[in-house]
């Protein structure tokens, strides 16, 4: 495990972001029941009540699945390389590792521009540590995704050691993942979708942000959850690439 428990409450390849899930999609949980639980959690966490008719993340009758485990691990590996770049790792190390491990197609254009040419804000890319923590939770490595706590200890030790040229294949063998049920991830996505709304409203109204952690924690974790879980139904487009995730609230 990455850290001790925290108390609370179409297959193609890893690169292209259009793979079929490892398991067949299943019926998504009742969205109204999930939203009711979310509303209770919002109150417990000190967030404002949602407006009447606030959109659901999915509809009754939709199906849900996680992206393939290898694809989730590929995104983790890319974000790990990006974070290494934030902390000064040269392009020869980060880009070279991604190239040797067949992960270039999993890198977005802006990410590659940052790694290769230092275009973009390292401060913003550094926030991805919380997205990685959400992925660790989805993969069953992180014990808890607590909105009141920041990223847990041990995440860096779990990620591939690119400095030692640990291969993507070798890392997968030691990663020890046990992906969570898609319905569980969907429920946490609904919570983070609504938590994100609370932060946006506070910003728009020039009010103090609710909750304990800074808004980027919720935003980054929501980004990861939005990408990790896929829904099928009349109102859902094809699963997006990482930089195409819709984070509107």
């Amino acid at each position: 495990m990455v850290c001790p428990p925290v108390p609370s409450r179409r297959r193609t390849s890893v690169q292209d972001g259009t793979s079929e899930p490892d398991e067949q999609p299943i019926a998504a949980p009742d969205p109204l029941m999930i939203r009711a639980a979310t509303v209770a959690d919002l109150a417990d966490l000190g967030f404002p009540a949602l407006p009447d008719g606030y959109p659901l993340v999915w509809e009754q009758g939709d199906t849900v699945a996680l992206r393939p485990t290898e694809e989730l691990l590929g995104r983790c590996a890319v974000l790990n390389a990006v974070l290494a770049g934030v902390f000064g790792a040269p392009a020869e190390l980060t880009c070279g590792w991604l190239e040797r491990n067949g992960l270039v197609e999993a890198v977005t254009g802006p990410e590659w521009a940052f790694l290769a040419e230092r275009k973009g804000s390292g401060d913003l890319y550094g926030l991805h540590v919380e997205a990685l923590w959400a992925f660790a939770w989805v993969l069953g490595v992180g014990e808890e995704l607590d909105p009141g706590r920041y990223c847990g200890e041990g995440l860096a030790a779990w990620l591939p050691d690119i400095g030692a040229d640990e291969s993507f294949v070798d890392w997968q063998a030691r990663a020890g993942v046990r992906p969570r049920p898609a319905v569980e991830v969907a429920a946490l996505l609904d919570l983070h979708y609504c938590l994100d709304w609370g932060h946006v409203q506070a910003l728009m109204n020039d009010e103090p942000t609710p909750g304990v952690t800074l808004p980027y924690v919720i935003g980054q974790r929501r980004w990861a959850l939005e990408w990790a879980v896929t829904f099928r139904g009349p109102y859902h487009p094809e699963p997006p690439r990482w930089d195409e995730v819709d984070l509107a609230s």
Side-chain angles (χ1 to χ4, degrees):
M1 291 296 175
V2 166
C3 67
V6 177
S8 76
R9 178 200 108 104
R10 334 175 299 171
R11 181 174 298 280
T12 53
S13 70
V14 64
Q15 292 95 337
D16 66 13
T18 59
S19 304
E20 289 290 351
D22 285 337
E23 299 182 1
Q24 292 299 311
I26 62 173
D30 185 331
L32 295 178
M33 290 182 61
I34 296 298
R35 181 55 55 87
T38 289
V39 168
D41 287 340
L42 291 175
D44 289 343
L45 292 165
F47 277 71
L50 297 170
D52 291 340
Y54 189 65
L56 299 170
V57 177
W58 66 90
E59 301 292 335
Q60 192 75 44
D62 290 347
T63 63
V64 63
L66 294 183
R67 289 182 188 256
T69 301
E70 186 179 6
E71 192 174 335
L72 292 168
L73 289 169
R75 175 85 322 235
C76 290
V78 169
L79 291 180
N80 180 53
V82 170
L83 286 173
V86 170
F87 288 100
E92 291 79 7
L93 178 61
T94 56
C95 294
W97 188 87
L98 293 166
E99 289 171 338
R100 288 191 300 277
N101 288 279
L103 290 166
V104 173
E105 293 301 317
V107 185
T108 68
E111 287 171 338
W112 191 263
F114 174 72
L115 291 173
E117 305 174 50
R118 286 300 182 266
K119 292 183 178 179
S121 171
D123 289 341
L124 292 179
Y125 281 117
L127 303 182
H128 283 333
V129 66
E130 292 294 345
L132 270 169
W133 184 238
F135 280 129
W137 178 82
V138 170
L139 290 164
V141 179
E143 285 287 346
E144 186 65 33
L145 199 61
D146 186 342
R149 292 176 179 264
Y150 292 90
C151 172
E153 296 180 0
L155 181 63
W158 173 69
L159 291 163
D161 187 348
I162 64 175
D165 203 24
E166 180 181 20
S167 74
F168 182 56
V169 170
D170 286 347
W171 176 57
Q172 290 182 82
R174 76 163 174 89
V177 300
R178 295 179 297 173
R180 295 177 184 275
V183 294
E184 184 179 355
V185 180
L188 261 289
L189 169 56
D190 189 72
L191 175 61
H192 282 74
Y193 174 63
C194 296
L195 291 171
D196 205 20
W197 175 85
H199 282 307
V200 170
Q201 290 302 301
L203 179 63
M204 292 175 60
N205 297 328
D206 197 25
E207 298 172 348
T209 56
V212 176
T213 58
L214 290 173
Y216 81 86
V217 173
I218 299 302
Q220 289 287 325
R221 294 178 182 181
R222 178 191 166 195
W223 192 348
L225 295 172
E226 292 267 11
W227 188 84
V229 68
T230 62
F231 297 98
R232 296 288 184 180
Y235 304 105
H236 295 285
E238 288 296 307
R241 287 178 59 89
W242 175 252
D243 56 349
E244 298 170 341
V245 173
D246 184 2
L247 294 175
S249 294

